[in-house]
Amino acid sequence: MRRVQLDQQIHFLTFATADLDAARQFYVNGLAWQPLMDVENEIIFFQIAPGVVLGFFEAGKFAEDIGVADAPSISGATVAHNVDSRDAVRAVADAMVAAGASVLKPPQPGAFGGIFHAQVRDPNGLIWEIAHNPGWHVEADGTVVLA
């Protein structure tokens, strides 16, 4: 069997959403993100990093696109947003809550690795971790450095 090499990179993260309008309200109106593409009643994409796009696909159309009866739900996953300080963790969590997120874990020291973080859930159930870890950082080219 011939082994195929897959480049270690991801360009799109797309999640089924039961309420595309709630996703739009949260990300566009609440967080002031600019859509890369927004197709009403279908899908919305956001450029979130160089070469990386986050998408929210209306659940029925998502299921149809992948050929299943029902769209699978998001489970056991988080999307992380790293910031430069504990104050920034608080500010971002507050902004997300003001935009319609619910708090799962208020800003606090984490149990692992010296992190200070908060966790919030967007209106469609996607869990966001807002984190500050003084031992980790993101280089100007987008490379993540873990100490």
Side-chain angles (χ1 to χ4, degrees):
M1 175 187 272
R2 191 173 132 222
R3 184 174 169 200
V4 176
Q5 180 178 347
L6 176 66
D7 291 340
Q8 188 172 322
Q9 55 186 298
I10 295 174
H11 300 100
F12 284 80
L13 297 168
T14 304
F15 296 98
T17 181
D19 190 340
L20 187 60
D21 289 333
R24 183 178 294 107
Q25 176 68 30
F26 181 73
Y27 291 97
V28 176
N29 299 334
L31 300 181
W33 285 18
Q34 297 300 310
L36 181 63
M37 175 189 272
D38 187 351
V39 179
E40 190 172 345
N41 298 317
E42 188 173 312
I43 197 162
I44 188 167
F45 290 113
F46 300 97
Q47 185 82 47
I48 58 171
V52 183
V53 172
L54 175 64
F56 295 95
F57 205 165
E58 189 279 322
K61 291 184 172 81
F62 181 96
E64 182 181 340
D65 188 51
I66 62 174
V68 298
D70 296 310
S73 63
I74 300 168
S75 175
T78 62
V79 176
H81 178 74
N82 295 303
V83 295
D84 293 333
S85 69
R86 289 175 173 224
D87 288 340
V89 169
R90 291 179 188 97
V92 171
D94 288 347
M96 294 181 94
V97 169
S102 57
V103 175
L104 298 175
K105 179 188 279 188
Q108 61 187 269
F112 309 103
I115 193 169
F116 184 84
H117 65 162
Q119 292 176 335
V120 301
R121 185 182 327 220
D122 83 0
N124 282 294
L126 184 60
I127 299 171
W128 282 82
E129 177 183 40
I130 302 91
H132 169 62
N133 188 324
W136 299 3
H137 67 276
V138 180
E139 298 284 343
D141 69 356
T143 302
V144 176
V145 179
L146 307 177

